[in-house]
Amino acid sequence: MKTKAVFLLIFAALAGCSAHPDDGRPSRAVLASQQAAFASEPHEVRIIDRSRFDRRFWPTDIKTPQHLPLGTILIDTKNKFLYLHRSDGTARRYGIAVGGTGHSWSGTAKVGRKAEWPAWYPTDDMRNLTPGLPRRISPGTHNPLGARALYLYRNSEDTLYRIHGTSEPWTIGTEASSGCIRMINEDVIDLYDQVPIGTTVIVK
C-alpha cells in the first residue's frame, strides 16, 4: 500500500500538478443517470461536477475559430481549448490542460494510434528523474492517461505526445502536464468516438 501511495504522489509531481482536487459531488439522481452511460466501461468513469469548473471549459458547440477541413482537431494551448471541426462551420470545443513551462510544444501531427484505457509507459527521462518508477502502469482510475488516449505521430514516428484522459480533472484549464493534452475522461471518451486514425491535429 505504501508503494502504491508513493507512485500516486510521483504521478502528480510528474504532471506538475499544483491545484487542489475537486471534491464536489453532483446530486444522486444526476450521478446515477450519468454513471449509467458508462456502465459497460471496464473501469469506473468518475463523473465530474461541472458546476465546479469555469463554464468556458464545459464542452460546447461554437462557430469555428478558423476554417479547417472536416474532422480536424485544433488545439489552442494559450486558451486551453481543443476544437473538433465539423462540416457545417461549427466545432465542438472542450476544455483541456496543456504542458507546463518547459514542456509545451506546437506543430502538426496525425492520430497514429488509439487506445481505450491504455497502460502508461513512463519515458526514459521520467524514470531517470524518478528512480523506482515502473516501466508500465496498468490501466485504471488512477492511471495518468485516463480512459482513452490518442497517440500523435509525425512522419509515421511517435512524437510521445498524446491527447488523453486524466485522473486529475481539477487540472483542466491549467498548464499542468509534461507536454500532453489532458481532457476530462467523459470528454475524451466523446472525442475518441468521433476521431479516426489519420486525423490531423494542429497544436498552436
Side-chain angles (χ1 to χ4, degrees), residues 13 19 24 40 56 72 76 86-87 91 94 103 118 121 136 151 162 200:
S40 63
R56 291 180 303 148
T72 300
D76 178 352
R86 296 172 170 164
S87 60
Y94 304 89
H103 295 287
Y121 296 86
R136 179 183 185 275
Y151 297 75
R162 290 86 173 87
T200 298

Side-chain angles (χ1 to χ4, degrees), residues 34-128:
Q34 293 177 332
Q35 199 73 60
F38 301 103
S40 63
E41 293 286 331
H43 304 283
E44 180 186 7
V45 176
R46 293 172 176 169
I47 304 303
I48 301 304
D49 180 1
R50 300 278 182 175
S51 69
R52 301 292 295 269
F53 288 81
D54 189 319
R55 275 188 173 270
R56 291 180 303 148
F57 301 119
W58 293 18
T60 187
D61 296 323
I62 65 163
K63 184 177 179 180
T64 53
Q66 67 183 76
H67 179 72
L68 291 169
L70 169 66
T72 300
I73 292 174
L74 173 65
I75 296 173
D76 178 352
T77 57
K78 179 180 178 181
N79 293 303
K80 317 300 186 297
F81 293 133
L82 181 150
Y83 301 88
L84 177 62
H85 285 72
R86 296 172 170 164
S87 60
D88 60 356
T90 66
R92 185 69 167 168
R93 188 183 75 187
Y94 304 89
I96 58 174
V98 301
T101 301
H103 295 287
S104 59
W105 63 283
S106 62
T108 300
K110 299 281 188 180
V111 175
R113 186 163 77 87
K114 299 170 58 178
E116 299 184 9
W117 293 100
W120 181 47
Y121 296 86
T123 64
D124 289 342
D125 287 342
M126 288 179 177
R127 286 189 287 105
N128 288 335

